[in-house]
Amino acid sequence: PPWVDPALVAQGQRFFGDWLLAITGSLFCVSLPSAYASADGAQVLRRTSPLATGQITRRTAETGQMLVDVMDLGNESPASLQPGGQGYLSARGVRLLHAVVRQTLLAGSLVTRDDGRIGGWPPEWGVPVNQEDLLGTLLTFTTAVFHGMDRLGIPYDPADAEAYVHTWCVVGHLLGIDPPLLPFDRAFGEQLAETIARRHHRPSDAGDQLMTAHLRQMELSMPWGFMRVPRTLIRHMLGPEIPDILRVPRAAWWRPALTALAAVGPAVGRLPGGARVMQAPSTLIGRSMMRSYIDQALGQERPAFRLDERAVHRLSLRRSRGGLRRARRRSRAALHRPPAMSSNSRDQVEVTS
């Protein structure tokens, strides 16, 4: 579209590359939980996604692959979002998938409602994957990410963040969001995010189930001794409201240290190596999850994850020594995974402790 600024797109892609692991940590600890707290959207995910059955890595890896493609990690070229580019193809593929999901759910007649009744798609849940859903998702990839990074005191450049929003508006256009709805600056995006949250964030069985599977997979990807890091970062980076909606377990005893670290973030960030210190918690999450994808791809547990060789070297994402150990943990977890929950089971949900 004519409003696209290639220079801003490239700047936004560089922002993603510069803060990749911190952004990835925010995506897992802030963005996805925020999406699961949207009760109507969670109904769609539970009925169409392997997330709800505990097989979360496939769906999140697919989302991560699209993110890597549209941001052209390793090259940072706006051409990736032009017709024929890998980012363009990935975004269009996701748009087609959304259309198939929408039509399948609306045409179906075997949807189980929260009260146990079976019938067509309930009108009160709204049209699946509608414009508001798409816009809310775009905001979880932008303003929610910034919120998480701010809570950790990560010292990024606000101008780069604005460029990142612009890049995502281009992606949103490719995904089918009507241009008048796109948030072309961060402030407007934050206002929209607050409005959508007021309208849609509330407890639901679907949200509980998705969050349970998500947290379980994050904990399985952690090195030994760090199992409580995901829940602690989720509660710290999001604040209490959304984790309480999704019944995330209590944070570890050392959570106040994160608050203290964020308070000195601006000063530490100006020191040599200070930025690396500030993003260490989210880097642990991001690197562990990305290594998990690579380990599973190399172990043929899931399709290959495309990642530019330069990015692999830069981020030290070779197959980890603990990959085999974590594969055994995932196998044991799969053997003991509880059956999928019924739609009226909110009082029965147990989050991994």
Side-chain angles (χ1 to χ4, degrees):
W3 48 263
V4 174
D5 185 333
L8 281 180
V9 171
Q11 184 180 355
Q13 291 174 324
R14 287 193 297 272
F15 174 79
F16 177 77
D18 290 343
W19 299 102
L20 172 60
L21 293 177
I23 290 173
T24 302
S26 283
L27 289 171
F28 283 109
C29 294
V30 181
S31 303
L32 289 175
S34 297
Y36 302 154
S38 181
D40 295 338
Q43 299 290 357
V44 176
L45 284 173
R46 183 167 74 166
R47 285 159 176 80
T48 62
S49 172
L51 294 175
T53 62
Q55 302 294 333
I56 195 170
T57 52
R58 177 180 175 181
R59 184 66 187 93
T60 53
E62 289 170 352
T63 301
Q65 186 66 74
M66 187 202 75
L67 185 59
V68 167
D69 290 343
V70 298
M71 294 299 156
D72 199 22
L73 183 62
N75 298 299
E76 290 86 32
S77 171
S80 67
L81 294 175
Q82 295 176 355
Q86 187 61 60
Y88 178 93
L89 295 174
S90 292
R92 288 299 197 179
V94 171
R95 182 174 181 176
L96 177 60
L97 175 63
H98 288 166
V100 171
V101 166
R102 186 183 305 114
Q103 181 60 30
T104 300
L105 292 176
L106 290 176
S109 59
L110 296 176
V111 176
T112 302
R113 305 188 184 208
D114 289 340
D115 58 9
R117 290 183 298 154
I118 298 177
W121 184 258
E124 61 269 23
W125 288 352
V127 176
V129 202
N130 57 47
Q131 288 287 299
E132 189 174 13
D133 292 339
L134 293 172
L135 182 59
T137 301
L138 184 147
L139 294 170
T140 66
F141 279 95
T142 51
T143 60
V145 165
F146 304 147
H147 177 76
M149 295 173 71
D150 290 342
R151 292 279 292 180
L152 290 176
I154 295 175
Y156 59 87
D157 187 336
D160 290 341
E162 291 287 353
Y164 191 63
V165 171
H166 181 84
T167 305
W168 266 106
C169 284
V170 179
V171 177
H173 172 77
L174 295 177
L175 291 173
I177 299 177
D178 291 340
L181 299 177
L182 292 170
F184 288 102
D185 62 74
R186 178 178 178 177
F188 182 46
E190 290 175 345
Q191 293 175 9
L192 286 175
E194 291 175 1
T195 299
I196 292 173
R198 286 195 300 268
R199 285 170 47 81
H200 294 284
H201 283 185
R202 60 183 181 275
S204 69
D205 290 342
D208 282 347
Q209 190 173 354
L210 293 163
M211 189 65 226
T212 298
H214 177 61
L215 182 60
R216 183 184 185 88
Q217 188 59 45
M218 290 176 71
E219 291 181 337
L220 288 174
S221 75
M222 290 292 104
W224 286 110
F226 291 86
M227 293 282 284
R228 292 181 179 269
V229 169
R231 68 184 66 179
T232 303
L233 283 182
I234 288 170
R235 284 203 165 271
H236 176 75
M237 296 169 74
L238 268 172
E241 183 177 353
I242 291 177
D244 285 348
I245 287 176
L246 298 172
R247 301 201 291 184
V248 175
R250 289 178 298 177
W253 62 269
W254 44 264
R255 178 187 168 183
L258 296 175
T259 303
L261 183 63
V264 299
V268 173
R270 291 192 292 268
L271 300 175
R276 180 174 297 181
V277 172
M278 298 309 302
Q279 62 178 320
S282 57
T283 291
L284 174 62
I285 294 283
R287 179 171 283 124
S288 295
M289 291 301 292
M290 294 189 74
R291 276 181 169 167
S292 176
Y293 295 157
I294 293 173
D295 290 344
Q296 292 177 58
L298 292 175
Q300 299 184 344
E301 296 178 51
R302 58 167 303 278
F305 189 78
R306 295 190 309 275
L307 198 60
D308 187 276
E309 184 69 17
R310 284 171 291 181
V312 172
H313 281 293
R314 184 174 63 184
L315 300 171
S316 301
L317 288 176
R318 296 296 182 184
R319 191 175 190 182
S320 58
R321 294 181 179 179
L324 182 58
R325 182 185 69 242
R326 283 191 285 274
R328 289 196 295 264
R329 287 164 56 188
R330 289 193 298 272
S331 297
R332 289 195 297 269
L335 290 174
H336 295 90
R337 182 178 297 127
M341 293 176 287
S342 63
S343 59
N344 57 355
S345 59
R346 179 168 173 80
D347 59 341
Q348 301 173 1
V349 176
E350 293 184 3
V351 180
T352 305
S353 61

